């Protein structure tokens, strides 16, 4: 059998890291090879999203089938894969951490988490960090633009989160959003490669979260193209300022942390970066999430960026607004 051209233990049909990530995504979702999750996802995989922590391959398969039943024509269009070589905590071979940006299109024709079929055609983004080793995804962090989805089916993030709590059996029985208390320790502890573009993006985010929002004018191209949670897209400094200041003003005392940083510079591509980050602390400010409640909230975010001759020229940042509202509603009743 031929050796894998990427890393030990990978199927030789995958000729590159992006080829593996894009290929298995297409096989599973559009090729309907849901059973291949048994091969491509580790038996004890941990998948963290802002909405929940799922442990084990069987739970992932069930969630995949439920999503396809609600959105039978769903597509997952891979926009980019930003990655770095890694080593896990065990003695296994070298693997990689990929940060995958996708646009998903779907028609809401089935009953499920988003209610009765609305017939609405949707388009929304997903950002996912996957640690892969031996031809399997073994650890994952995923942010889906839930705010964009619920708005397109005719709801708003706060009311949808409230309805979800009821549908899941009430505050005592509902699925708990991701937090330091609900998180599960996985096999990957790496922090990325901290290469130039990744370090540059991480630095800009840390400065903004420290209150230096002037970094937007100093480091962003004046004609920057931006895509934010809630399906918001546009250009220019004002939109970046509106998103980041709106988020920080809701949680002014929360601790900001860079969880993972990858920078890439390769021929045929602009310098680009993927940074996973978190905010954890009190909802003690009036901003994007209404009046301060004083409750503790955990925000998981992922940001992708491309750089040009005049600074950051493209940015994609996702958080899950519904998971934030769910935490606030569970704490305040």
């Amino acid at each position: 059998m031929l050796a894998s051209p990427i890393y030990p233990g990978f199927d030789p049909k995958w000729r590159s890291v992006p080829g593996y990530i894009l290929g298995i995504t297409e096989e599973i979702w559009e090729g309907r090879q849901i059973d291949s999750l048994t091969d491509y996802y580790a038996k004890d995989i941990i998948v963290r999203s802002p909405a929940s922590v799922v442990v084990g391959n069987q739970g992932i398969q069930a969630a995949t089938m439920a999503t396809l039943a609600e959105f039978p024509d769903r597509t997952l269009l891979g926009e980019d894969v930003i990655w770095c070589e890694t080593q896990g905590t065990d003695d296994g071979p070298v693997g990689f951490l990929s940060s995958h940006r996708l646009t998903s299109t779907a028609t809401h024709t089935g009953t499920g988490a988003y209610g009765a079929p609305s017939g609405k055609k949707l388009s929304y983004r997903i950002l996912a960090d996957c640690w892969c080793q031996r031809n399997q995804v073994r650890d994952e962090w995923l942010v889906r633009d839930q705010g964009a989805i619920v708005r397109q089916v005719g709801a708003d993030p706060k009311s949808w989160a409230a309805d979800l709590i009821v549908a899941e059996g009430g505050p005592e029985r509902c699925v708990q959003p991701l937090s330091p208390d609900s998180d599960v320790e996985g096999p990957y502890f790496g922090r990325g490669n901290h290469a130039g573009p990744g370090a540059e993006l991480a630095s800009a985010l840390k400065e903004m979260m420290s209150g230096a929002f002037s970094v937007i004018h100093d480091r962003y191209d004046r004609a920057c193209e931006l895509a934010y949670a809630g399906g918001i897209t546009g250009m220019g400094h004002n939109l970046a300022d509106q998103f980041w200041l709106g988020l920080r003003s809701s949680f002014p005392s929360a601790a900001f942390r860079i969880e993972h940083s990858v920078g890439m510079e390769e021929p045929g591509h602009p310098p680009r970066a993927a940074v996973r980050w978190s905010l954890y602390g009190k909802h003690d400010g009036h901003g994007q999430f209404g009046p301060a409640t004083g409750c503790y909230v955990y925000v998981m975010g992922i940001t992708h960026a491309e750089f040009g001759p005049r600074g950051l020229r493209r940015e994609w940042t996702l958080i899950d607004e519904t998971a934030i509202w769910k935490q606030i509603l569970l704490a305040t009743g």
Side-chain angles (χ1 to χ4, degrees):
M1 182 177 180
L2 294 174
S4 168
I6 46 178
Y7 290 107
F10 282 82
D11 192 309
K13 73 178 181 179
W14 306 118
R15 312 304 297 174
S16 67
V17 167
Y20 171 83
I21 293 296
L22 298 172
I24 68 170
T25 301
E26 184 178 358
E27 277 189 22
I28 294 165
W29 289 96
E30 293 162 55
R32 293 296 195 272
Q33 297 181 41
I34 299 171
D35 59 336
S36 68
L37 283 164
T38 304
D39 299 320
Y40 293 132
Y41 273 44
K43 184 177 181 180
D44 56 352
I45 185 174
I46 302 166
V47 178
R48 305 162 194 81
S49 71
S52 66
V53 179
V54 179
V55 180
N57 198 304
Q58 289 187 336
I60 304 303
Q61 292 190 46
T64 301
M65 288 187 284
T67 300
L68 285 172
E70 194 166 8
F71 303 100
D73 64 347
R74 188 186 191 211
T75 63
L76 288 166
L77 306 173
E79 296 181 18
D80 199 6
V81 179
I82 301 171
W83 65 278
C84 67
E85 185 175 283
T86 69
Q87 180 65 55
T89 58
D90 58 17
D91 295 325
V94 172
F96 58 86
L97 187 292
S98 70
S99 195
H100 185 192
R101 187 175 73 251
L102 313 98
T103 290
S104 183
T105 63
T107 308
H108 185 213
T109 57
T111 300
Y114 302 97
S118 64
K120 299 290 182 65
K121 292 188 177 297
L122 314 182
S123 178
Y124 57 93
R125 279 197 169 86
I126 303 162
L127 292 168
D129 284 10
C130 296
W131 182 59
C132 306
Q133 188 185 56
R134 304 188 195 96
N135 209 46
Q136 290 187 321
V137 181
R138 301 189 61 200
D139 227 349
E140 183 171 357
W141 297 258
L142 178 148
V143 184
R144 184 184 298 108
D145 192 355
Q146 291 282 89
I149 297 172
V150 300
R151 287 182 177 95
Q152 289 175 81
V153 299
D156 70 84
K158 182 179 180 180
S159 63
W160 186 82
D163 291 342
L164 183 65
I165 292 170
V166 174
E168 291 177 342
E172 302 302 322
R173 299 178 62 186
C174 71
V175 177
Q176 295 299 306
L178 176 67
S179 73
D181 292 331
S182 65
D183 199 1
V184 177
E185 186 176 279
Y188 180 63
F189 288 88
R191 295 291 179 185
N193 64 5
H194 308 294
E200 186 173 350
L201 177 59
S203 173
L205 296 179
K206 285 191 284 188
E207 287 191 39
M208 282 191 284
M209 293 296 99
S210 297
F213 292 96
S214 58
V215 73
I216 294 170
H217 293 266
D218 296 339
R219 299 200 201 177
Y220 281 52
D221 190 312
R222 189 165 176 268
C224 55
E225 299 175 24
L226 308 166
Y228 292 124
I232 295 170
T233 59
M235 296 179 68
H237 292 164
N238 287 343
L239 182 59
D241 187 80
Q242 180 181 345
F243 173 79
W244 287 108
L245 185 57
L247 177 64
R248 192 48 158 162
S249 65
S250 293
F251 311 101
S253 68
F256 177 76
R257 174 178 160 124
I258 299 294
E259 305 290 351
H260 200 271
S261 170
V262 177
M264 288 196 76
E265 296 185 74
E266 58 182 341
H269 295 271
R272 59 206 206 275
V275 172
R276 178 163 40 86
W277 49 268
S278 65
L279 266 179
Y280 181 57
K282 287 186 177 181
H283 177 220
D284 53 0
H286 193 130
Q288 183 177 340
F289 295 94
T293 61
C295 66
Y296 276 81
V297 171
Y298 183 81
V299 180
M300 179 171 79
I302 301 179
T303 298
H304 280 196
E306 293 180 357
F307 295 88
R310 293 173 295 280
L312 189 154
R313 67 180 184 181
R314 293 189 182 93
E315 180 198 336
W316 301 261
T317 294
L318 292 184
I319 59 174
D320 183 345
E321 300 163 272
T322 67
I324 295 171
W325 277 117
K326 190 176 186 182
Q327 292 173 80
I328 293 171
L329 293 169
L330 286 173
T332 60

